[in-house]
């Protein structure tokens, strides 16, 4: 594994300072609007079956998440080693485990309602 | 921290006087803080994950009381969703202004972001009041407990962000754009985008699926 | 009026029990004595400037260790009280309520206020030294973590004399821990004590991840880090992912109690099983959080005292990381008996067993580090060698528990109690003791008396087996945990008596340790070499105790076990690499250090105040508490002057004094 | 541990099963113990030998290789052996997990009898829906006949455990779990509440008697003839926390168990706290909301 910081990247980092461009932000913004409208329309107009809608809106939410991550949070711009990305991926795996695991386990232990 | 800088110089076997170090030094330290904050955000991901899990598990437990679908008014929610999306965008613009070195622009866009955030909170409070009025409080049923806690925790995060942004605007106007304030703005905008992401899932799972 | 006050104070203070009255009086007397001593010797200022406001990782570490040893005492006394009751259940030495409070506080204190802070103490003291850094990444945050732990622990312990202790078990399952099951304030003390210190733990986790990833000495690659540092990284990563779960779970329990919500209540559609599900998502990783650093400590010690490189470095690292990862996929093994069906049980049984594989690899690597080594057995190594069989047996019984259908018979029995004490004492406690003995000279600049240490060692060990081996048998005899009484027909008493004797042997061992420390302070034998064990890693390359800036010049690292390699090169007469020499001969430069700050201490007091207010439902106290917290945060945010430079002359003076000593 | 096993007077009831479930569990315990010993014993021996042989002493002839830190063959070995053991164990566990799934009916040519179990603070209430009788802290059932326990809790979660017949299952409020057990021979078996429920939880032990069919019938008849009826009032009284002696009742209100399971269900609009009516929501409980058998 490489040393913790890379000198070259470090130098160059100073110059470009922050990340992103107005173009990226606008693209991201438009995408996020579109990705919000699609599920909204699908749900409000009862366009598909319940199951299909669920899948659709979840996919849209995940795409939206990707958009924020790429265009706004600049996850791509990280220099190596990509600790940020690694940490995020681990975090997401654990988070999904928590949600999916709870749902799975608790389906057997619902209280009478 | 000094060692951070010395790491660099030592690896490359060069030693310049320490005048030039300070800058590097701070830079490295600020970078560390940003990374630390990123980790904090990931712990927040887990935090919200647990709240979502709880909400999903308890979503049918309305104890014969009102359900979300019955009481939720989507109009307000849709408006606040777009407000938050826009604020995520404006906080990005603030960042761009900062990178251009434009202090005024930076403060302006931060203020816009904060205002959007404040209107989001206003709408949320209105919605909660509406729900309480309709007879859904945190004690009504497990569903509403989970609902208010999840949505409220997000709202609390946004409110904290507002205080933080205000404090930052004051600091910026006093100190201008320095390595330290720059990092602070970066962090706050990261936080803001993160809250946007969380909201997307609140919107999808709590509201859209609730009224489906 | 008077009646009101009387009624209030009878609720506020725990009354009516001579045991507790005695404790209250002695606590009050101790407090008076402390205040008097500080005033008499004019030490208040010293206390404030040197300790309460310090951000030095070594001092914070010392404070962690002192507090955790006090907590070990408290938890240990609890244990002894329980054991007395269980040896003679008919005597009603403790009544049912007391017994329940005592096992609850014993469990909480031992894990959260003894093991965790002892672990954080070792993190603090050693990680920066091992990686060649001058402090942790966020020294202020570090002091915040400590004070949050400290005041959280204080809040929890307060319940002993004020309001009454929690009594719903160390993980406080609702509805027993909810308002319907525990209307008193004990459970609120539990929630807020743990919550406040939990925030501190999360911050520590983040702090050490950043420290380790970003602050290593120049040249030190990840795969050259000492194994303890690796274990701290894996443990911190686990903290990062696990502690938020605890925070939320307790928070939900709190709003159930405080705002009448219905997450885990019986009515209103609440589901108490969800709590059990959530708390173990934290609870299981938690036990690995505390064991992983112990694994790291053993790895350091076994290499040092075998005079041999650690065997299988890479698989050790891989094992650590996979344990922390897999620890998040096993939680349901704590409630196999919840009736979640065969799919769930089979899945979680298998994920649980998988952890035995990387753990086993670690055991074999330790054995093969000793194999073809030259073993010497000072106290740190004794603890290490004793750990292996003890932990392996405990781990095996863990594997037996993980077999879901068999667990139907073991669950909640003394078999389980024996399992986890074996891994917690044989693994965690032995490990931290080993680390404490090993690093003590580095920490304080003097060695501990070996002879007394050996007495303590043998008493702990023999006491351990005498205490907990019979408990496996008791489990198979059907004795369930948390029984304050049992029927003599069951034939459980003889083994319980044996077990109690063992517990007292451990108590004697603890007395030996206290004596050992007192004795060593009295007959102070200064440690002047800085490298008294002929160590392998960077911490041994600097004077003992380490100067406040740790390294006058930051070392350049070229090898794993860099310090050892350097000594070997010297023996062989080989020169160091040019960059190493360059770094060593570079002129001293002013050292950049974080400034002291009382903010963290004060902020934690406000947390304490808010927590205390929440416990008693006193809004007038909660609000100023929370406002205080917010103000402290803002003040910190507006503080830009957070660090300073140590001038070269001062460094020269300090170094001369340290080096001149030998 | 062996010396403990030999030397003490108590009875190892977990290892002395009297029913098919307990028997299977005992087998499983033995299999896993053996599998663990396969590794444990060599590890302990290795530890002792290595520590002894490589201790530093004057004139030691043992090899010393300070830089020997890696050996692929060895490392592969100790990744592989545990993997093999764990895979074996995993397979066995999976098989047994499905076989011993507590809600799975037992293979038997006899019709199972049902006992409805409620953990209360701090006593056990048992009901025999087929016979219409009820008992407290005591059960009796015929040997060789599968018993279907339906478990629920009135308050905090407990755990129903008769070690000699088989492992425990939680009793939880708001749900009904199922556990099948069977006694192969007559006897008087120890049972307990294994999960902590507060103050007098240690007093929640009970006796489970397995008797011949005739004796069982006789007992039922006797209870019916001589015991009082369990009224709703009795049940409400029982809910006050406290311990209880052994009791029996000749009858109990119909649907009491279902009522206990659904007692916390709000019936909505009218009165959110009216959960004391016995008759309501029976159907729902019968259709097994939360019942996973
Ligand atoms: C430091 C703490 C610690 C550690 C390290 C462990 C380690 C393990 N634990 Fe333990 N456990 C606890 C602390 C710990 N546990 C606590 C506190 C509880 C109870 C809490 C409560 O209810 O209050 C508990 C409860 C507990 C249960 C729940 C039982 C029940 O409630 O009914 C189970 C079940 O699966 C379990 C399993 C395991 C396993 C499989 C391991 C494994 O990680 C062990 C792995 C190690 C080895 C196996 C030994 C070395 C390996 C070899 C030499 C290699 C080869 C081995 C094989 C192939 C088998 N533990
Ligand atoms: C790191 C964790 C840790 C440690 C170190 C210990 C240490 C000990 N534990 Fe603990 N224990 C737990 C964690 C731990 N325990 C947990 C999590 C539970 C579960 C709680 C629950 O069910 O909710 C538990 C439960 C538990 C029980 C079960 C109670 C029950 O279910 O009814 C018992 C019973 O024997 C016990 C005994 C002991 C003993 C004898 C020690 C000994 O090692 C203690 C050693 C003793 C000392 C260090 C004493 C020092 C004091 C003195 C020297 C003073 C001298 C004074 C006199 C002689 C009067 N523990
Ligand atoms: Cu576990």
């Amino acid at each position: 594994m490489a040393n913790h910081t890379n000198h070259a990247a470090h130098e160059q980092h100073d110059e470009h300072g922050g990340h992103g461009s107005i173009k990226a932000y606008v693209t991201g913004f438009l995408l996020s609007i579109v990705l919000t409208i699609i599920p909204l329309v699908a749900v409000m107009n009862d366009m598909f079956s319940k199951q299909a809608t669920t899948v659709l809106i979840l996919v849209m939410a995940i795409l939206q998440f990707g958009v924020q991550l790429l265009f706004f949070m600049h996850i791509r711009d990280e220099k190596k080693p990509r600790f940020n990305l690694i940490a995020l991926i681990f975090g997401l795996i654990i988070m999904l485990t928590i949600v999916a695991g709870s749902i799975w386990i608790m389906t057997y232990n619902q209280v009478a309602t | 921290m000094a060692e951070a800088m010395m790491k660099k110089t030592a690896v490359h076997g060069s030693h310049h006087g320490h005048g030039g170090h300070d800058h590097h030094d701070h830079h490295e330290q600020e970078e560390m803080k940003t990374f630390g904050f990123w980790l904090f955000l990931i712990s927040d991901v887990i935090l919200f994950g647990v709240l979502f899990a709880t909400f999903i598990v308890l979503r049918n437990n309305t104890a014969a009381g009102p359900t979300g679908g019955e009481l939720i008014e989507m109009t307000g929610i849709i408006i606040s969703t777009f407000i938050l999306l826009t604020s995520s965008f404006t906080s990005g613009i603030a960042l761009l202004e900062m990178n251009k070195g434009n202090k005024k622009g930076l403060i302006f866009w931060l203020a816009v972001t904060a205002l959007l955030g404040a209107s989001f909170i206003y709408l949320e409070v209105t919605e909660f009041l509406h729900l309480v009025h309709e007879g859904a409080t945190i004690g009504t049923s497990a569903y509403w407990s989970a609902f208010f806690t999840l949505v409220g925790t997000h709202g609390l995060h946004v409110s904290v962000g507002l205080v933080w942004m205000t404090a930052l605007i004051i600091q910026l106007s006093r100190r201008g754009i320095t390595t330290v304030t720059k990092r602070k703005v970066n962090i706050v905008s990261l936080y803001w985008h993160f809250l946007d992401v969380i909201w997307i899932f609140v919107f999808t799972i709590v509201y859209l699926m609730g009224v489906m | 009026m008077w009646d009101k006050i009387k009624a209030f104070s009878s609720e506020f203070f725990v009354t009516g029990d001579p045991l507790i009255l005695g404790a209250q009086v002695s606590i009050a007397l101790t407090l008076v004595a402390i205040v008097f001593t500080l005033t008499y010797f004019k030490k208040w200022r010293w206390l404030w400037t040197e300790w309460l406001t310090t951000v030095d990782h070594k001092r914070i570490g010392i404070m962690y260790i002192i507090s955790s040893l006090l907590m070990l005492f408290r938890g240990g006394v609890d244990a002894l009280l329980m054991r007395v009751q269980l040896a003679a259940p008919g005597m009603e030495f403790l009544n049912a309520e007391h017994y329940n409070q005592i096992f609850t506080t014993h469990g909480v204190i031992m894990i959260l206020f003894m093991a965790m802070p002892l672990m954080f103490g070792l993190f603090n003291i050693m990680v920066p030294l091992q990686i060649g850094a001058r402090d942790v990444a966020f020294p202020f945050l570090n002091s915040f973590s400590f004070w949050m732990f400290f005041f959280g622990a204080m809040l929890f312990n307060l319940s002993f004399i004020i309001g009454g202790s929690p009594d719903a078990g160390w993980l406080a399952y609702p509805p027993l821990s909810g308002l319907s099951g525990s209307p008193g304030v004990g459970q609120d003390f539990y929630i807020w004590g743990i919550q406040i210190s939990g925030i501190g733990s999360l911050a520590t986790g983040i702090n050490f991840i950043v420290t380790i990833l970003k602050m290593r000495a120049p040249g030190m690659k990840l795969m050259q880090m000492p194994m303890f540092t690796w274990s701290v990284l894996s443990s911190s990563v686990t903290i990062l992912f696990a502690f938020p779960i605890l925070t939320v779970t307790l928070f939900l329990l709190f709003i159930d109690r405080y705002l009448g919500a219905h997450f885990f209540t019986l009515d209103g559609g609440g589901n108490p099983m969800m709590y059990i599900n959530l708390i173990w998502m934290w609870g299981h990783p938690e036990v690995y959080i505390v064991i992983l650093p112990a694994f790291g400590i053993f790895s350091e010690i076994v290499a040092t005292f075998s005079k041999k490189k650690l065997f299988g470095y890479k698989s050790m690292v891989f094992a650590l990381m996979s344990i922390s990862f897999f620890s998040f996929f096993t939680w349901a093994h704590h409630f196999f008996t919840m009736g979640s069906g065969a799919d769930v049980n089979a899945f979680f049984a298998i994920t649980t067993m998988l952890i035995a594989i990387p753990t086993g690899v670690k055991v074999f690597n330790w054995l093969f580090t000793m194999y073809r080594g030259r073993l010497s057995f000072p106290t740190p190594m004794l603890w290490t060698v004793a750990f292996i069989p003890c932990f392996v047996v405990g781990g095996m019984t863990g594997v037996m528990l993980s077999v879901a259908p068999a667990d139907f018979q073991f669950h909640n029995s003394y078999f389980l109690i024996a399992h986890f004490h074996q891994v917690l004492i044989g693994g965690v406690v032995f490990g931290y003791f080993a680390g404490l003995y090993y690093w003590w000279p580095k920490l304080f600049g003097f060695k501990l008396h070996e002879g007394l240490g050996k007495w303590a060692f043998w008493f702990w060990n023999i006491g351990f087996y005498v205490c907990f081996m019979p408990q496996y048998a008791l489990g198979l005899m059907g004795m369930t945990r948390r029984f304050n009484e049992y029927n003599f027909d069951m034939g459980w008493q003889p083994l319980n008596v044996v077990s109690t004797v063992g517990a007292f042997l451990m108590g004697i061992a603890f007395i030996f340790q206290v004596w050992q420390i007192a004795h060593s302070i009295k007959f102070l034998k200064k440690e002047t070499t800085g490298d008294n064990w002929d160590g392998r890693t960077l911490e041994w390359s600097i004077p003992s105790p380490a100067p406040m800036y740790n390294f006058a010049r930051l070392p350049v690292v070229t090898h794993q076990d860099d310090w050892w390699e350097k000594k070997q090169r010297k023996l062989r007469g080989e020169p160091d690499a040019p960059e190493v020499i360059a770094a060593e001969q570079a002129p001293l430069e002013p050292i950049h250090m974080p400034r002291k700050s009382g903010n963290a201490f004060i902020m934690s007091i406000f947390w304490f105040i808010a927590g205390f207010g929440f416990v008693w439902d006193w809004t007038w106290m909660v609000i100023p508490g929370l406002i205080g917290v917010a103000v402290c945060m803002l003040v910190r945010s507006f503080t830009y002057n957070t660090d300073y430079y140590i001038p070269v002359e001062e460094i020269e003076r300090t170094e001369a004094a340290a080096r001149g000593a030998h | 541990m062996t010396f403990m096993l030999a030397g003490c007077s108590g009875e190892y009831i977990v290892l002395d099963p009297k029913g098919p479930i307990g028997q299977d569990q005992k087998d499983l315990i033995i299999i896993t113990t053996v599998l663990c010993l396969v590794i444990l014993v060599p590890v302990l021996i290795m530890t002792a030998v290595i520590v002894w042989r490589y201790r530093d002493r004057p004139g030691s002839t043992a090899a010393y290789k300070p830089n020997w830190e890696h050996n692929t063959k060895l490392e592969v070995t100790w990744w592989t052996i545990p993997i093999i053991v764990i895979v074996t164990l995993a397979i066995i566990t999976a098989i047994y997990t499905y076989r011993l799934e507590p809600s799975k009916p037992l293979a038997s040519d006899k019709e199972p009898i049902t006992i409805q179990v409620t953990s209360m603070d701090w006593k056990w209430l048992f009901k025999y829906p087929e016979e219409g009788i009820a008992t407290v802290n005591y059960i009796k059932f015929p040997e060789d006949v599968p018993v279907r326990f339906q478990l629920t809790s009135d308050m905090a979660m407990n755990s129903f455990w008769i070690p000699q017949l088989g492992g425990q299952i939680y009793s939880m409020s708001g749900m009904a779990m199922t556990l099948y057990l069977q006694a192969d021979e007559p006897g008087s078996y120890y049972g307990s509440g294994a999960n902590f429920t507060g103050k007098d939880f240690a007093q929640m032990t009970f006796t489970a008697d397995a008797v011949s069919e005739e004796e069982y019938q006789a007992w039922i008849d006797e209870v019916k003839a001589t015991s009082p009826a369990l009224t709703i009032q009795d049940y409400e009284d029982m809910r006050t926390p406290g311990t209880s002696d052994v009791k029996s009742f000749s009858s109990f209100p119909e649907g009491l168990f279902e009522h206990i399971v659904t007692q916390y269900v709000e019936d909505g609009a009218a009165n959110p706290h009216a959960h004391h009516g016995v008759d309501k929501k029976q159907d729902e409980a019968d259709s097994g909301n939360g019942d996973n058998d």
Side-chain angles (χ1 to χ4, degrees), chain B residues 1-8 10-11 13 15-18 21-22 25-26 28-29 31-37 39-40 42-44 46-48 50-51 53-55 57-58 61-63 138-143 145-147 149 153 163-164 166-168 170-172 174-175 178 180-181 184, chain C residues 132-139 202 205-206 209-210 213-219 240-242 244-245 247-249 251-252 255-256 259-264 267-271 274 277-278 281 552-554 556 579 582-583 586-587 589-594 634 636-640 642-643 645:
Chain B
M1 223 135 284
E3 68 266 24
M5 150 280 281
M6 286 187 204
K7 265 178 232 170
K8 301 283 134 30
V11 168
H15 293 272
H16 16 104
H18 97 265
H21 286 168
D22 263 344
D25 204 18
H26 277 286
E28 186 87 6
Q29 204 176 358
E31 211 176 83
M32 242 157 42
K33 289 196 173 152
T34 314
F35 180 49
F37 189 76
L39 293 180
F40 163 75
I42 289 173
S43 76
D44 239 17
I46 307 276
L47 184 144
F48 277 106
V50 179
L51 290 175
T54 312
F55 177 81
V57 166
L58 298 177
N61 300 17
T62 49
I138 198 163
T140 303
S141 68
Y143 171 87
S145 302
F147 172 90
T149 309
T153 307
V163 176
W164 187 7
T166 317
L168 201 51
I170 300 173
Q171 290 176 29
L172 279 167
R174 281 201 203 155
R175 291 172 188 271
T178 67
V180 177
T181 49
K184 290 192 175 182
Chain C
R134 293 216 164 102
D135 207 317
V136 294
F138 312 120
L202 182 60
I206 294 178
I209 298 177
V210 180
L213 291 181
K214 301 279 185 184
M215 289 188 62
R216 274 165 286 128
L240 175 71
F241 295 140
I245 310 179
T247 308
V248 178
T249 311
F251 182 62
L252 299 184
I255 41 189
D256 263 6
L259 299 177
H262 290 292
F263 290 104
F264 313 125
D267 55 347
N271 191 341
M274 185 61 185
N277 173 56
L278 289 178
M281 281 184 188
R553 294 178 188 79
L554 286 180
V556 167
E579 67 266 25
E589 294 186 40
I591 293 177
H592 190 182
M593 294 297 287
L634 283 173
R636 181 68 192 176
S637 169
F638 279 88
T639 311
Y640 275 67
T642 55
D643 30 35
Y645 283 88

Side-chain angles (χ1 to χ4, degrees), chain C residues 280 283-285 287-288 327 330-334 352 419:
Chain C
W280 284 115
H284 183 79
V287 302
Y288 291 100
S327 70
T330 68
W331 76 93
H333 67 219
H334 291 279
T352 303
H419 154 69

Side-chain angles (χ1 to χ4, degrees), chain B residues 160 167 171 184, chain C residues 140 144 148 199 599 603 607 626-639:
Chain B
V160 169
Q171 290 176 29
K184 290 192 175 182
Chain C
F140 172 77
F144 169 74
M148 288 296 270
I199 297 170
N599 190 318
M603 200 197 308
W607 271 109
L626 290 180
I627 290 178
V629 171
V631 168
C632 285
M633 284 186 184
L634 283 173
V635 167
R636 181 68 192 176
S637 169
F638 279 88
T639 311

Side-chain angles (χ1 to χ4, degrees), chain C residues 608-630:
Chain C
F608 179 89
I609 293 172
F612 196 79
F614 275 127
V615 167
W616 290 95
D617 214 340
W618 290 341
T619 317
W620 55 267
M621 195 163 173
V622 171
I623 290 173
L626 290 180
I627 290 178
V629 171

Side-chain angles (χ1 to χ4, degrees), chain C residues 78-365:
Chain C
D78 281 349
L80 297 183
L81 294 176
M82 284 191 296
R83 286 307 331 161
V84 171
Q85 165 68 20
L86 289 174
M91 304 240 305
E92 277 251 355
F93 173 70
L94 301 170
N95 64 31
E97 273 138 348
H98 276 143
Y99 187 84
N100 298 346
Q101 295 180 350
I102 285 180
F103 72 69
T104 304
T105 53
H106 166 76
V108 173
I109 285 180
M110 282 299 198
I111 295 208
L112 286 154
F113 301 132
M114 188 285 283
M116 292 292 279
L118 192 48
M119 169 179 101
F120 288 150
L122 294 167
F123 281 19
N124 261 290
I125 282 157
M126 274 312 140
V127 169
L129 299 186
Q130 283 204 323
I131 62 172
R134 293 216 164 102
D135 207 317
V136 294
F138 312 120
F140 172 77
L141 187 68
N142 198 24
S143 75
F144 169 74
S145 293
F146 172 74
W147 290 112
M148 288 296 270
F149 146 70
F150 183 81
F151 284 106
M154 285 303 111
L155 190 59
F156 184 86
N157 276 281
L158 211 55
S159 66
F160 178 58
I161 46 172
I162 292 181
S165 301
D167 58 1
W170 80 285
L171 288 184
Y173 287 2
L176 198 57
S177 62
L179 214 46
S180 63
S182 310
V185 292
Q187 207 52 46
D188 298 299
F189 274 112
Y190 170 96
I191 291 174
W192 282 98
I194 296 180
Q195 198 68 294
I196 289 175
S197 74
I199 297 170
S201 306
L202 182 60
T204 307
I206 294 178
N207 212 337
F208 279 87
I209 298 177
V210 180
T211 307
I212 293 171
L213 291 181
K214 301 279 185 184
M215 289 188 62
R216 274 165 286 128
M220 184 186 275
K221 300 192 180 102
L222 280 174
M223 286 315 249
Q224 289 172 341
M225 294 197 308
M227 197 49 68
F228 176 63
T229 302
W230 264 115
S231 71
V232 173
L233 181 63
S234 62
S235 172
S236 301
V237 169
T238 319
I239 290 178
L240 175 71
F241 295 140
F243 267 76
I245 310 179
L246 175 69
T247 308
V248 178
T249 311
L250 289 182
F251 182 62
L252 299 184
L253 183 60
F254 167 70
I255 41 189
D256 263 6
R257 293 176 60 89
Y258 192 73
L259 299 177
H262 290 292
F263 290 104
F264 313 125
T265 54
L266 293 170
D267 55 347
N271 191 341
M273 300 308 128
M274 185 61 185
Y275 178 93
I276 300 180
N277 173 56
L278 289 178
I279 197 84
W280 284 115
M281 281 184 188
W282 161 79
H284 183 79
E286 165 66 15
V287 302
Y288 291 100
I289 288 170
V290 291
I291 196 75
L292 289 170
F295 288 169
I297 293 168
F298 293 127
S299 306
E300 301 283 320
I301 291 176
V302 88
T304 302
F305 297 104
S306 305
K307 297 226 159 302
K308 187 160 163 287
K309 254 192 170 156
L310 183 65
F311 199 88
Y313 182 93
K314 275 194 199 130
S315 45
M316 286 300 230
V317 170
F318 181 72
L320 281 175
M321 286 309 178
S322 49
I323 293 175
S324 41
F325 184 73
F326 280 110
S327 70
F328 284 95
F329 296 86
T330 68
W331 76 93
H333 67 219
H334 291 279
F335 45 87
F336 281 144
T337 51
M338 198 164 92
S340 298
D343 296 341
V344 171
N345 280 3
F347 176 83
F348 284 98
I350 292 170
T351 50
T352 303
M353 292 170 188
L354 288 181
I355 299 203
I357 299 167
T359 316
V361 168
K362 298 192 78 68
V363 171
F364 291 117
N365 280 332

Side-chain angles (χ1 to χ4, degrees), chain D residues 212-241:
Chain D
S212 69
E213 298 240 19
E214 302 77 64
E215 271 178 83
Y216 174 66
Q217 267 318 322
W219 175 71
I220 300 267
D221 295 342
E222 189 202 317
V223 169
K224 280 195 169 155
T226 60
S227 300
L230 175 71
T231 62
I232 270 294
Q233 193 50 47
D234 291 334
Y235 161 72
E236 290 295 340
D237 290 346
M238 246 186 245
R239 298 191 70 209
T240 12

Side-chain angles (χ1 to χ4, degrees), chain D residues 83-104:
Chain D
I83 289 179
I84 294 173
V85 175
I86 292 298
V87 168
T88 321
L89 198 57
I91 294 172
I92 296 172
T93 304
I95 294 172
Y96 272 90
T97 304
Y98 285 94
R99 187 191 311 168
L100 295 180
E101 163 56 35
S103 60
K104 214 176 87 178

Side-chain angles (χ1 to χ4, degrees), chain C residues 111 170 280 284 287-288 290-291 333-334 336 352 355-356 359-360 363-364 391-392 395-396 398-399 401-402 407 410-412 416 419-420 423-424 428 481-482, chain D residues 36 39 43 82 85-86:
Chain C
I111 295 208
W170 80 285
W280 284 115
H284 183 79
V287 302
Y288 291 100
V290 291
I291 196 75
H333 67 219
H334 291 279
F336 281 144
T352 303
I355 299 203
T359 316
V363 171
F364 291 117
F391 182 79
V392 171
M396 293 296 175
V399 171
L401 292 172
S402 73
D407 183 60
F410 295 136
H411 185 56
N412 277 341
L416 167 67
H419 154 69
F420 72 72
V423 276
L424 278 167
V428 176
R481 68 192 296 192
R482 297 169 175 173
Chain D
C36 284
I39 298 219
V43 170
V85 175
I86 292 298

